[in-house]
Amino acid sequence: MTETAYNFAYLDEQTKRMIRRAILKGVAIPGYQVPFASREMPMPYGWGTGGVQVTAACLTPADTLKVIDQGADDTTNAVSIRKFFQRTAQVAVTEHTEEASLIQTRHRIPETPLAEGQILVYQVPIPEPLRFLEPRETETRKMHALEEYGLMHVKLYEDIAHNGEISTAYAYPVQVEGRYVMDPSPIPKFDNPRLESAAVQLFGAGREQRIYAIPPYTQVVSLDFEDYPFEASKADHPCDLCGCATSYLDEVIVDDAGGRMFVCSDTDFCSTRRAEGHRGRLSGEDLAEELA
Amino acid sequence: MTPLLQVKGVTKRYGARLGCGDVSFDLWPGEVMGIVGESGSGKSTLLSCLAGHLSPDAGEVIFDTRAEGPRDVLTMSEPARRMLGRTDWAFVHQNPRDGLRMGVSAGANVGERLMAVGARHYGQIREQAVDWLGRVEIAADRVDDRPRAFSGGMQQRLQIARNLVTGPRLVFMDEPTGGLDVSVQARLLDLLRGLVREMGLSAIIVTHDLAVVRLLADRLMVMKGGHVVETGLTDQVLDDPQHGYTQLLVSSVLQV
């Protein structure tokens, strides 16, 4: 079968209509998990089937697509999804956050602030924030409906009781517009403050068949205790390549003698800064010597 | 004085079979009511109907709410009834596993009800949790252990602490001492009696153990085949049973 035998962006138009209806409902009720009839996609669950379906429903031929995985443009998941839409939708692709009209992401929000008109699509493994506390879906839906969210704090209580601080570092629960408690997908809690954004944020969970959304400029509050307030934490280092002290960092083991380096997890942000002349501890020639 | 709970003609059928039929009584503030009867006599069905876990086919259950006075809980909206369930009401299950969250620590179990009604200060929640564990005789150093690591009697006491932490006015207990050995039962009963008197709780206790009602209950209702066959003060019913079934029940108690 040739690639032109596919409909634009792989999914048929009726499916895309169904997904768009779910997206519109999600945008109308921020943070509410809208059920949708998730399709089987030509990739395994866990690879972003939910995000891919949302992206497919939103793409137009004029769009410029960027795909990131843990902030990086060049990892397996990002490359395969980008290639998938290049082949099935022939859309332009980019690695630059500012140039993209639609960004599909896994586990990160780009460092560069998003602008109006951009769409950020998240891949979500488990959309239900209460799942590990209350396994019954019937019960969690009732709790969402009746706004009974005391249980969410039980998890944070357990964190403090066992670790002395709120040790939840990713998928940190938030309350959207004072109503629905939402799992922001496994983004680090460092990214939580940037959930209040100018861009449309859409969340797709393929296996769990749920879509939810945060419209632009929506209030998003990270849950916490009065005496243990929310803190957006990151590794206490500057980036070793670009020297940025405020970006979210990955820790990379560079030898078997305890050597390590910290680099921006957002590869586009880091390379843009290096192109502008910023330098970190191990950038350029220093790095080559270190590794030699 | 208005009764805390007025039950009028509560009937629940399971198809053609009768769960409980036309049960009416008043429960006054500070009063403990015992419901006894053999297995299948409808006492647990009645308790579930009163606590809002089952919806009866007929009847009214009128609770004297703090804010709005007497209201029929059966016609209340579900959010209001669930709110009542975690503030003014408490339900102690026979099996503590049904009433506890087994995956989180004892402190979180007690704190859950506080957080459910809006407590958002970790230090205060923990302080109250430790205080309540002390009141049910669980050592403070067990506060971060999961209920799984507790003995059956401790789990039951933890369940009671979890239920009483929000200061309820009405406690439903379904066989609270079932499945515990006699010495643990005795301690639990002692503890319950102390808490009920100290907090001025009203309680409805379903049991088949006459010793439990003798110790705890002010008033007694005897059920058989879904109907109330005898009712009266506990000592009066137990010492001078009138109905044939009650006489059988009282004479069936094993003497040591």
Side-chain angles (χ1 to χ4, degrees), chain B residues 9-254:
Chain B
V10 167
T11 304
K12 173 74 185 172
R13 293 182 171 280
Y14 299 106
R17 280 179 302 117
L18 183 71
C20 60
D22 197 24
V23 178
S24 304
F25 65 90
D26 288 347
L27 183 76
W28 299 86
E31 188 181 37
V32 179
M33 165 82 99
I35 303 175
V36 295
E38 59 191 357
S39 296
S41 61
K43 52 193 196 304
S44 290
T45 299
L46 174 63
L47 195 72
S48 298
C49 286
L50 299 183
H53 298 173
L54 282 176
S55 58
D57 300 319
E60 287 175 29
V61 178
I62 296 165
F63 180 72
D64 185 20
T65 58
R66 279 184 224 227
E68 298 166 36
R71 283 196 57 192
D72 188 354
V73 295
L74 300 176
T75 57
M76 246 183 206
S77 68
E78 192 176 11
R81 190 162 59 233
R82 282 173 70 111
M83 189 65 185
L84 208 57
R86 49 178 199 268
T87 52
D88 266 358
W89 287 6
F91 198 104
V92 178
H93 294 264
Q94 173 175 10
N95 188 342
R97 278 155 206 279
D98 296 335
L100 290 174
R101 220 168 266 290
M102 301 303 282
V104 299
S105 69
N109 262 294
V110 178
E112 184 183 341
R113 263 173 88 102
L114 294 170
M115 293 181 249
V117 295
R120 292 290 179 265
H121 191 284
Y122 174 81
Q124 287 165 8
I125 292 167
R126 193 170 173 83
E127 204 174 290
Q128 283 204 52
V130 170
D131 175 48
W132 265 99
L133 289 184
R135 288 165 80 164
V136 296
E137 298 166 14
I138 296 175
D141 62 356
R142 302 298 301 270
V143 66
D144 291 333
D145 290 349
R146 293 187 175 177
R148 263 184 245 289
F150 286 9
S151 68
M154 279 172 82
Q155 287 181 0
Q156 194 58 285
R157 277 179 279 147
L158 178 61
Q159 194 194 176
I160 289 164
R162 169 187 162 92
N163 271 292
L164 297 187
V165 67
T166 47
R169 292 188 296 154
L170 176 58
V171 187
F172 299 100
M173 295 190 215
D174 190 3
E175 306 268 11
T177 59
L180 300 176
D181 73 62
V182 281
S183 61
V184 175
Q185 256 190 41
R187 273 181 63 197
L188 187 74
L189 285 174
D190 209 35
L191 179 79
L192 269 179
R193 191 160 56 163
L195 288 172
V196 164
R197 293 286 172 265
E198 183 190 324
M199 297 176 72
L201 294 174
S202 299
I204 298 177
I205 299 177
V206 161
T207 181
H208 54 242
D209 188 341
L210 291 180
V212 170
V213 288
R214 173 78 91 171
L215 271 171
L216 284 177
D218 304 310
R219 225 157 27 109
L220 197 56
M221 230 162 65
V222 184
M223 289 187 74
K224 185 175 191 314
H227 293 282
V228 177
V229 294
E230 188 164 355
T231 172
L233 297 175
T234 303
D235 291 345
Q236 175 197 333
V237 173
L238 292 183
D239 293 344
D240 183 18
Q242 300 294 310
H243 191 271
Y245 174 70
T246 319
Q247 291 170 354
L248 179 70
L249 196 67
V250 171
S251 63
S252 304
V253 175
L254 293 176

Side-chain angles (χ1 to χ4, degrees), chain A residues 194-273:
Chain A
R194 281 183 295 135
L195 286 165
E196 289 189 359
S197 163
V200 181
Q201 299 173 79
L202 307 174
F203 299 76
R207 180 175 36 206
E208 302 280 331
Q209 313 200 324
R210 294 289 185 276
I211 284 173
Y212 51 103
I214 304 178
Y217 306 111
T218 301
Q219 181 201 50
V220 181
V221 177
S222 303
L223 300 179
D224 59 1
F225 284 105
E226 287 159 18
D227 45 347
Y228 285 85
F230 171 78
E231 207 179 325
S233 60
K234 68 179 276 282
D236 191 17
H237 288 271
C239 172
D240 283 335
L241 293 182
C242 76
C244 180
T246 55
S247 65
Y248 190 74
L249 302 174
D250 285 339
E251 183 178 358
V252 183
I253 308 290
V254 290
D255 55 32
D256 57 2
R260 61 180 68 178
M261 63 186 292
F262 289 90
V263 292
C264 295
S265 91
D266 187 335
T267 51
D268 167 53
F269 179 75
C270 199
S271 55
T272 307
R273 272 178 60 87

Side-chain angles (χ1 to χ4, degrees), chain A residues 129-130 133 148-157 173 181 223:
Chain A
L130 300 162
L133 298 150
E148 288 178 3
Y149 288 133
L151 193 53
M152 205 67 251
H153 277 83
V154 171
K155 177 181 160 49
L156 304 180
Y157 172 96
V181 165
L223 300 179

